């Protein structure tokens, strides 16, 4: 009897196993709940501009006048988000274009040219850049980049150019570290074969390694863009926050995020002014979804076989 | 695989444990006051709260910023005890002012400021309004240098901007331009950008980095605000719900006491509510 009981009882290890399992299920459940609540909240709030306040969704996406808290000339509040959408894409794409060559150069140096020495040193620098809070970048931008642009180009110095330069520094580490990973993932036999055929190191890097790592590098760029698109504080400090259609790079403009951070404290839940900001947040959410889908697509189609 | 039943039970566990945890958090014998809202009023409430708590052990006061809109809407949803605001609740979209009590605790004066190099020290109210509505675009049109005017506005809906627009633009809308959300940033920009104009609370004009503008030859100072010869000023409000509890009342009374009004209020750059010779109502009408 004793033995049977002992054998049938679950052992300490089994119980540990169960406990571990339930803790991880609990955490997963919590995260899923949290994510779905966030999604529900943003979507329902963001859509209420169109369902409750009867703003035309087409007007929201194409009109250029933004002042949802007050009544415009035609007796309706002006809820045109196009300037912010364009500016957000503008700073995102420009900063990615600016950062990518640097990221690839650093990546090649770290993974092919000087893997040992370069890697250690540059790794520290990149990790440091990641660790600096965005408000510090914004402050540096405000005290260095904005006055610099003011001297070089006139105007106030605030604008897309300043925002691009600040974002450049902020997305560089993201793009670089992912690029390094993808360059390191290129199988060694590919470059060995290339060298054995008589190609120079540069030819090998350019024609073989970079070619093989292209999908990974593209993913890195998209991740960098997602970071730039969502950055709020640093951009808000240097872009000037004027809800104007950007005509050039050195006049004040406003991104979706900068409009959100400056406006949210001055509006009341449930009013159009507040709902319109949630709609901007919804656009941000949808865009980050698009970025994710693009990354998935690149990953699926471009993997090396 | 995680089946649906398991999933549902997991989520219900989460919710229940969440409820239990929040229930544990409250219940201390200290009475709590939470004041949220206007960043312009925040320093005063914070300093006063510190003083007040030193003399009253049984009260704990939390002061947060977030903006006037946040303060009022949090109060409306009864999430906080006091909503700090730079504007009358009547003038904030989506707020039912009838359900709140207005406690005016200080007055704040604001003045236009320009970059020192533009060479203008005085403007008429009309000129000032023309600058902010975009009719005047060069400083030489108002007696300054030949230099383009760069308008730095405050964020739409902020208390400072509402006050300025009510007192200066009188219903006209400002040109679209840069918007900044803090006094500190505005000060920094105006002092370093050629041709810039903006407006600031008096307490931010104490040093010589920028040029305050007189309007119709009236200087921006506390004395001129007190008798309304300087027109651009607003109250700092602490709103509470109708059924205000004793400790909150006592705290607000303390802020309005002579002791605080004559010391802290002045020290922090506000104007004492007791010194005002006129009153303004929510429609911006002056009553003597």
């Amino acid at each position: 009897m004793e033995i049977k009981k002992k054998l049938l009882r679950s052992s300490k290890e089994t119980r540990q196993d169960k406990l571990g399992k339930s803790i991880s299920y609990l955490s997963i459940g919590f995260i899923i709940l949290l994510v779905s609540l966030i999604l529900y909240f943003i979507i329902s709030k963001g859509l209420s501009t169109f369902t409750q306040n009867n703003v035309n969704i087409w007007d929201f996406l194409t009109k250029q006048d933004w002042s949802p808290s007050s009544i415009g000339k035609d007796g309706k509040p002006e809820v045109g988000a196009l300037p912010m959408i364009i500016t957000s894409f503008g700073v995102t794409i420009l900063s990615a274009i600016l950062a990518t060559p640097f990221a690839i150069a650093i990546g090649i140096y770290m993974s092919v040219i000087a893997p040992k020495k370069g890697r250690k040193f540059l790794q520290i620098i990149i990790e440091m850049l990641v660790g600096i809070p965005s408000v510090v970048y914004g402050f540096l931008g405000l005290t260095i980049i904005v006055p610099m642009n003011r001297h070089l180009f006139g105007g106030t110095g605030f604008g897309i150019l300043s925002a691009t330069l600040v974002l450049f520094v902020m997305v560089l580490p993201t793009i670089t570290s992912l690029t390094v990973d993808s360059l390191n993932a290129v199988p060694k036999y590919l470059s060995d074969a290339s060298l054995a055929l008589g190609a120079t190191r540069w030819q090998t890097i350019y024609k073989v390694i970079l070619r093989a790592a292209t999908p990974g590098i593209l993913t890195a760029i998209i991740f960098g863009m997602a970071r730039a698109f969502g950055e709020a504080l640093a951009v808000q400090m240097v872009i000037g926050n004027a809800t104007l259609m950007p005509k050039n790079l050195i006049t004040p403009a406003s991104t979706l995020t900068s409009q959100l951070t400056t406006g949210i404290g001055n509006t009341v839940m449930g009013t159009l002014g507040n709902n319109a900001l949630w709609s901007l947040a919804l656009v941000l959410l949808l865009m980050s979804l698009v970025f994710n889908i693009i990354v998935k697509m690149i990953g699926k189609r471009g993997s090396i076989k | 695989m995680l089946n649906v039943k398991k999933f549902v039970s997991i989520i219900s566990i989460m919710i229940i444990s969440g409820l239990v945890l929040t229930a544990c958090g409250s219940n201390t014998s200290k009475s709590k006051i939470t004041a949220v809202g206007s960043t312009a009023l925040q320093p005063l409430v914070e300093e006063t709260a510190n003083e007040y708590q030193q003399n009253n052990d049984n009260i704990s006061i939390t002061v947060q910023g977030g903006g006037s809109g946040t303060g009022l809407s949090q109060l409306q949803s009864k999430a906080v005890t006091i909503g700090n605001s730079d504007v009358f609740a009547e003038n904030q979209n989506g707020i039912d002012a009838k359900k709140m009590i207005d406690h005016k605790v200080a007055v704040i004066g604001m003045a236009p400021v320009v970059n020192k190099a533009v060479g203008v020290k005085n403007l008429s109210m009309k000129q000032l309004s023309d600058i902010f509505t975009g009719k005047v675009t060069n400083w030489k049109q108002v007696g300054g240098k030949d230099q383009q005017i760069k308008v730095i506005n405050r964020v739409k809906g902020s208390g400072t901007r509402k006050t300025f627009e009510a007192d200066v633009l009188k219903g006209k809308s400002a040109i679209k331009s840069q918007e900044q959300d803090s006094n500190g940033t505005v000060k920094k920009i105006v002092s370093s950008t050629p041709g810039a104009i903006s407006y600031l609370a008096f307490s931010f004009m104490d040093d010589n980095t920028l040029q305050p503008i007189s309007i119709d030859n009236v200087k921006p100072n506390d004395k001129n605000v007190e008798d309304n010869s300087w027109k651009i000023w607003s109250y700092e409000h602490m709103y509470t719900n109708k059924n205000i509890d004793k400790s909150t009342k006592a705290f607000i009374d303390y802020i309005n006491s002579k002791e605080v009004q004559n010391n802290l209020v002045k020290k922090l750059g506000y104007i004492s509510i007791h010194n005002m010779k006129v009153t303004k109502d929510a429609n911006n009408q002056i009553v003597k």
Side-chain angles (χ1 to χ4, degrees):
Chain A
M1 270 319 269
E2 270 295 298
I3 294 167
K4 193 184 171 192
K5 218 177 173 184
K6 208 173 180 184
L7 281 174
L8 283 176
R9 213 171 47 204
S10 53
S11 68
K12 195 181 160 208
E13 285 72 20
T14 321
R15 268 176 284 141
Q16 267 182 350
D17 196 52
K18 274 187 188 149
L19 182 71
K21 222 180 194 174
S22 45
I23 288 177
S24 54
Y25 278 151
L26 217 63
S27 317
I28 294 167
F30 181 67
I31 296 300
I32 294 174
L33 182 73
L34 204 65
V35 170
S36 37
L37 281 179
I38 291 173
L39 286 179
Y40 171 75
F41 197 71
I42 296 179
I43 292 172
S44 65
K45 277 273 171 197
L47 287 179
S48 61
T49 309
F50 312 112
T51 54
Q52 286 174 21
N53 306 106
N54 297 320
V55 172
N56 188 328
I57 194 159
W58 189 245
D59 286 353
F60 175 77
L61 292 174
T62 57
K63 289 227 166 134
Q64 301 183 10
D65 292 306
W66 178 264
S67 96
S69 296
S70 51
I71 307 295
K73 282 171 206 123
D74 56 350
K76 275 192 229 160
E78 293 160 327
V79 195
L82 188 66
M84 275 88 83
I85 296 173
I86 300 273
T87 311
S88 271
F89 275 104
V91 293
T92 303
I93 291 167
L94 287 174
S95 58
I97 289 175
L98 204 60
T100 304
F102 289 94
I104 293 177
I106 299 171
I108 289 172
Y109 184 79
M110 279 172 75
S111 75
V112 188
I113 296 175
K116 269 193 193 138
K117 223 177 19 181
R119 176 139 220 171
K120 261 193 188 153
F121 176 63
L122 285 166
Q123 194 80 38
I124 295 170
I125 292 185
I126 286 168
E127 273 160 16
M128 215 177 71
L129 286 178
V130 175
I132 298 174
S134 59
V135 62
V136 175
Y137 282 117
F139 197 62
L140 287 173
L142 191 62
T143 38
I144 297 167
I145 293 176
V146 170
M148 186 187 85
N149 284 339
R150 184 164 57 227
H151 284 298
L152 289 176
F153 304 106
T156 56
F158 290 85
I160 293 180
L161 183 63
S162 300
T164 303
L165 292 176
V166 169
L167 283 175
F168 159 68
V169 189
M170 297 182 75
V171 300
L172 187 65
T174 312
I175 303 183
T176 307
S177 53
L178 288 169
T179 301
V180 170
D181 288 346
S182 71
L183 289 173
N184 283 338
V186 174
K188 195 163 185 308
Y189 59 77
L190 284 181
S191 48
D192 285 349
S194 163
L195 291 170
L197 286 168
T200 60
R201 184 155 78 165
W202 171 243
Q203 282 170 330
T204 306
I205 290 171
Y206 183 64
K207 302 234 169 186
V208 178
I209 298 179
L210 275 186
R211 216 35 78 80
T214 303
I217 295 174
L218 285 177
T219 311
I221 297 170
I222 303 287
F223 269 115
M225 285 171 74
R227 165 111 211 253
F229 201 77
E231 176 52 44
L233 203 57
V235 173
Q236 186 235 311
M237 289 168 84
V238 299
I239 202 160
N241 311 312
T243 51
L244 291 165
M245 204 61 184
K247 289 198 190 71
N248 55 44
L249 300 185
I250 51 161
T251 50
S254 175
T255 61
L256 293 163
T257 45
S258 73
Q259 200 52 230
L260 268 172
T261 50
T262 52
I264 206 86
N266 299 313
T267 54
V268 174
M269 273 279 187
T271 59
L272 174 60
N274 193 268
N275 288 342
L277 292 176
W278 282 106
S279 303
L280 297 185
L282 182 61
V283 175
L284 281 169
L285 180 77
L286 292 178
M287 276 319 299
S288 75
L289 204 69
V290 169
F291 283 131
N292 272 320
I293 291 171
I294 295 175
V295 166
K296 284 266 146 42
M297 267 165 47
I298 293 172
K300 236 183 223 161
R301 288 181 55 189
S303 55
I304 318 159
K305 268 135 208 153
Chain B
M1 256 324 267
L2 189 63
N3 59 29
V4 178
K5 247 186 187 169
K6 246 183 194 165
F7 184 74
V8 171
S9 61
I10 285 171
I11 288 187
S12 43
I13 291 170
M14 301 307 314
I15 293 172
I16 292 165
S17 57
L19 288 175
V20 173
L21 285 176
T22 44
C24 291
S26 58
N27 264 325
T28 38
S29 58
K30 275 192 174 185
S31 56
K32 270 187 160 178
I33 299 176
T34 319
V36 172
S38 158
T39 44
L41 179 54
Q42 196 180 356
L44 175 63
V45 182
E46 259 168 9
E47 293 272 327
T48 327
N50 285 344
E51 273 193 17
Y52 192 68
Q53 283 175 103
Q54 277 169 8
N55 305 326
N56 298 275
D57 294 337
N58 55 343
I59 276 180
S60 131
I61 305 172
T62 316
V63 184
Q64 287 167 15
S68 302
T70 308
L72 289 172
S73 67
Q74 296 268 39
L75 176 70
Q76 181 156 275
S77 61
K78 302 207 160 53
V80 299
T81 16
I82 300 173
N84 295 335
S85 174
D86 307 333
V87 293
F88 278 96
E90 285 87 346
N91 298 340
Q92 183 78 45
N93 277 342
I95 293 294
D96 187 0
K98 287 188 200 98
K99 290 190 179 142
M100 300 173 177
I101 312 178
D102 181 9
H103 309 267
K104 302 186 182 80
V105 294
V107 168
I108 205 161
M110 288 159 221
V113 287
V114 298
N115 183 272
K116 283 203 135 178
V118 303
V120 171
K121 287 183 178 164
N122 180 61
L123 289 168
S124 71
M125 197 56 117
K126 173 96 179 27
Q127 285 172 327
L128 187 62
S129 152
D130 284 349
I131 288 174
F132 275 88
T133 50
K135 272 190 214 151
V136 169
T137 54
N138 195 306
W139 283 111
K140 77 177 173 200
Q141 289 167 272
V142 290
K145 270 198 215 161
D146 182 9
Q147 197 170 45
Q148 205 201 332
I149 297 179
K150 298 193 186 92
V151 174
I152 317 281
N153 217 327
R154 302 299 289 269
V155 174
K156 273 191 200 106
S158 66
T160 320
R161 176 148 172 186
K162 276 186 178 164
T163 306
F164 188 80
E165 297 202 328
D167 291 333
V168 177
L169 302 187
K170 303 197 170 78
K172 282 173 276 184
S173 54
I175 50 160
K176 280 191 196 169
S177 64
Q178 258 201 68
E179 291 177 9
Q180 293 297 338
D181 68 346
S182 74
N183 282 302
T185 319
V186 167
K187 185 172 173 179
K188 202 170 151 66
I189 295 171
V190 174
S191 59
S192 58
T193 309
I197 181 168
S198 189
Y199 43 95
L200 280 177
F202 284 1
S203 49
F204 285 85
M205 307 186 310
D206 42 7
D207 53 9
N208 260 333
T209 54
L210 25 77
Q211 175 66 53
I213 294 287
S214 302
I215 299 178
D216 300 321
N217 295 313
V218 177
K219 283 218 169 87
N221 58 35
D222 294 3
K223 237 182 120 245
N224 287 333
V225 169
E226 285 160 14
D227 58 9
N228 196 46
S229 35
W230 181 262
K231 302 280 189 308
I232 316 168
W233 56 273
S234 73
Y235 291 109
E236 293 297 333
H237 310 259
M238 291 174 82
Y239 280 94
T240 60
N241 281 312
K242 286 258 145 125
N243 49 345
I244 176 173
D245 67 47
K246 254 190 202 155
S247 50
T248 313
K249 180 90 174 57
F251 175 57
I252 292 177
D253 284 347
Y254 177 67
I255 295 188
N256 273 336
S257 69
K258 279 230 166 79
E259 189 195 339
V260 174
Q261 291 285 328
N262 290 338
N263 297 310
L264 256 184
V265 167
K266 282 193 181 144
K267 201 179 103 197
L268 295 171
Y270 306 85
I271 299 163
S272 163
I273 196 84
H274 300 319
N275 292 352
M276 293 304 292
K277 299 184 178 76
V278 294
T279 53
K280 229 183 216 184
D281 65 12
N283 301 319
N284 215 31
Q285 297 301 312
I286 296 291
V287 191
K288 290 258 167 179

